């Protein structure tokens, strides 16, 4: 078994060794740029961890891990165009730094690069690996589409929201783990269990993000607390508040989210006030814990030793330990 | 052996049977829309013809053919955004009919759908098929990038232009043929010969397009004659004219391509006048024939009977028989 640190070293070396053609520069420079903006490399790490979990050499899964990381970065480049986002990890997004056309086309070629990495997987698992990867990639596109549609809608249910975050962010965690499991020749049952584990922790992580946006300790939180509130982002918290608010609170919430001119601090305070009245933080935490517990139940069913499971569970715990 | 008509029927059935999820509608409706705008289906036909050429059942290559057709349509959707094109085959482009965001994301999911079709290929050839497809897809992206860069440049050489059209349009013909050859278990030598055949006819076709834009019989030509001249498109003809023109003609050509206000008919006549003085049509035809002859030489080297080659050669002849 490899330590998490060793797996991370394998990843960093592999990322450094990702080679793209030199020309045309405008096509390939953005790939190197976005991949080197960093990030926690959670998704490729999950690929390696799953291979390791099922007792095989994680080095066998490096190509699949790179495919997942390059694919993830491709979605960031295209999502940033669609969301009109100027910054990514504190730096200019690709379409800001170059142009929308460059961002579209570099994104496209990243998708090809992801597939090229995937095609390097041992042919024994290739078909299974492709099917899992393609189903995941398709779901991620569907999630992004739903996310954009929700911005235009006033009747998004909690159920729809959970399904959207499942597609947009959670299934890539599940898919990453399943790829690692396939390469480790895990049983189909175990491969599906770890996929479902990933999906459930993914939903829990996103709910945690929603909660942290409002309730994080500003000293420890990387970004501005209340950003989602200012942007009227339809998070679990806002949707739940709309579901539960009545009379005066409902009116107030409607007015607050319709205002075009406002003092950001006042708006955050006022929305938070409604959340507190409706106990939204606790409801969100309870839902988050439900998904986390479901994930842990699924992990418990996987047919390997508790010792082998320790690394993935430790990573999960670390990621969930961000301060409220 | 199958007749071309039979192969086309196999294709039409397969295209009709391409099934995409119903929801989200905005993600999947554009795929059905663009694919059903029609087109000659040359690329998927080449996949089947190559499998047939090497004596195997073209039905075995239908998934690869669908991958090629869906991929080709994906490139149309994204290219139309980048080229700001309002029309495609006389109908609104996807980004015009829906939105740029929808066109980006539907294009992305088409790429996934292409890969899903590819993954259905017999696992025996899967690795080879993926490698050929991915190299082709990457080249097509590079070609589109070069095409966009050339618009901003005043020093594009004929050599660069030929390389651009090779990447942007010709290698997909080569790739389609090679995929069919791989699935037919052709020798590596024959598979590479037919790839090179496709690349060379692809370049010849594009040069023919360039010539037809200026010299086609308006009665028989589908679109406006002289469209490239009006748009200052850097075709083989214009680049060659800039290469050969001297003194007065060079000045005139520079002025004509710099004009912001002009009578289209006059501009077409004037540029055509320069082309005639410089014998550009004949030079272009000679270059086109060089690529066509090279293609035929390559085909002659392929180790199957002349009878088997007849269908692909007939199609090539038909496509080249458009009126000048």
């Amino acid at each position: 078994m490899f330590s998490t640190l060793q797996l991370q070293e394998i990843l960093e070396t592999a990322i450094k060794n990702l080679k793209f053609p030199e020309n045309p520069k405008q096509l390939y420079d953005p790939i190197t740029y976005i991949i080197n903006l960093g990030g926690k490399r959670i998704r490729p790490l999950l690929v390696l961890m799953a291979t390791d979990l099922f007792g095989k050499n994680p080095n066998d899964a490096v190509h699949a891990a790179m495919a997942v990381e390059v694919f993830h970065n491709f979605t960031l480049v295209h999502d940033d165009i669609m969301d009109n986002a100027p910054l990514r990890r504190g730096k200019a997004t690709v379409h800001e730094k170059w142009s929308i056309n460059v961002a579209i086309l570099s994104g496209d070629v990243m998708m090809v690069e992801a597939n090229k990495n995937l095609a390097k997987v041992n042919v024994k698992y290739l078909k299974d690996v492709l099917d899992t990867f393609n189903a995941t990639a398709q779901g991620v596109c569907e999630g992004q589409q739903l996310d954009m549609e929700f911005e235009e809608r006033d009747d998004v249910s909690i159920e729809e929201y959970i399904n959207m975050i499942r597609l947009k962010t959670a299934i890539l965690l599940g898919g990453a783990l399943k790829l690692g499991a396939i390469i480790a020749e895990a049983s189909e049952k175990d491969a599906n269990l770890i996929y479902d584990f990933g999906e459930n922790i993914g939903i829990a992580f996103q709910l945690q993000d929603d909660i942290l946006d409002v309730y994080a300790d500003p000293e420890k939180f990387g970004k501005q607390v209340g950003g989602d509130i200012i942007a009227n982002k339809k998070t679990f918290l806002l949707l739940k508040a709309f579901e539960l608010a009545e009379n005066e609170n409902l009116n107030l919430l409607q007015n607050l989210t319709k205002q075009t001119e406002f003092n950001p601090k006042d708006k955050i305070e006022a929305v938070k006030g409604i959340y507190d009245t409706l106990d939204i933080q606790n409801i969100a935490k309870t839902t988050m814990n439900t998904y986390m517990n479901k994930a842990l139940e699924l992990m418990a069913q996987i047919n390997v030793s508790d010792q082998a499971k320790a690394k993935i569970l430790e990573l999960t715990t670390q990621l969930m330990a961000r301060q409220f």
Side-chain angles (χ1 to χ4, degrees), chain A residues 60-307:
Chain A
D60 296 346
V62 164
H63 295 308
M66 288 304 100
V68 165
E69 181 66 6
V70 174
F71 171 78
H72 173 60
N73 279 276
F74 144 73
T75 67
L76 299 181
V77 171
H78 277 197
D79 284 4
D80 283 342
I81 306 171
M82 294 181 242
D83 301 341
N84 204 8
L87 295 175
R88 163 72 55 190
R89 293 181 183 133
K91 297 278 172 66
T93 46
V94 169
H95 66 275
E96 279 287 326
K97 194 174 162 72
W98 284 272
S99 69
I100 289 183
N101 283 354
V102 163
I104 292 174
L105 200 57
S106 285
D108 291 347
V109 90
M110 288 174 83
M111 182 72 168
V112 179
E113 288 288 349
N115 281 302
K116 280 171 66 182
N117 277 284
L118 218 54
K120 292 182 195 162
V121 166
N122 189 320
V123 72
K124 221 159 105 185
Y125 325 117
L126 189 53
K127 163 81 175 140
D128 265 5
V129 159
L130 291 175
D131 287 345
T132 294
F133 182 84
N134 289 332
T136 303
Q138 177 153 25
V140 172
C141 291
E142 292 179 359
Q144 169 67 5
Q145 175 64 30
L146 292 176
D147 195 15
M148 293 195 295
E149 288 180 14
F150 288 2
E151 281 178 33
E152 312 297 322
R153 279 178 49 193
D154 282 330
D155 58 348
V156 179
S157 70
I158 291 284
E159 196 187 337
E160 287 179 301
Y161 177 74
I162 298 278
N163 185 48
M164 183 276 283
I165 61 175
R166 183 182 70 79
L167 289 165
K168 183 166 172 168
T169 75
I171 62 172
L172 189 51
L173 305 188
L177 288 162
K178 189 172 176 180
L179 289 176
I182 291 168
I183 292 166
E185 303 187 52
S187 70
E188 201 185 325
K189 192 185 161 198
D190 278 346
N192 288 330
L193 281 168
I194 200 139
Y195 178 91
D196 290 339
F197 165 81
E199 205 175 279
N200 279 281
I201 57 166
I203 295 171
F205 288 158
Q206 184 57 51
L207 293 176
Q208 188 195 34
D209 269 353
D210 288 2
I211 300 167
L212 280 171
D213 180 81
V214 180
Y215 295 102
D217 180 342
E219 306 271 309
K220 293 175 188 163
F221 197 51
K223 25 185 195 180
Q224 185 194 16
V225 172
D228 290 347
I229 291 178
I230 293 170
N232 289 334
K233 211 172 154 217
K234 292 188 185 86
T235 65
F236 181 92
L237 285 73
L238 184 61
L239 293 170
K240 198 69 188 175
F242 265 114
E243 187 186 306
L244 297 178
E246 290 178 324
N247 309 324
E248 225 175 293
N249 275 327
L250 183 58
N251 275 332
L252 184 54
L253 199 56
Q254 277 164 342
N255 289 334
L256 283 164
T257 51
K258 272 182 202 148
Q259 285 174 349
T260 49
E261 281 183 37
F262 52 83
N263 174 307
K265 245 181 124 177
D266 293 347
K267 180 171 173 177
I268 293 170
E269 275 318 298
V271 173
K272 222 168 150 177
I274 298 172
Y275 286 176
D276 289 345
T277 314
L278 299 170
D279 205 23
I280 297 294
Q281 186 182 6
N282 274 325
I283 296 170
K285 279 191 180 173
T286 304
T287 308
M288 177 187 83
N289 286 329
T290 305
Y291 284 99
M292 188 45 69
N293 289 333
K294 174 83 183 151
L296 297 176
E297 273 169 39
L298 289 158
M299 180 57 89
Q301 292 174 51
I302 291 175
N303 194 22
V304 300
S305 72
D306 287 350
Q307 203 200 335

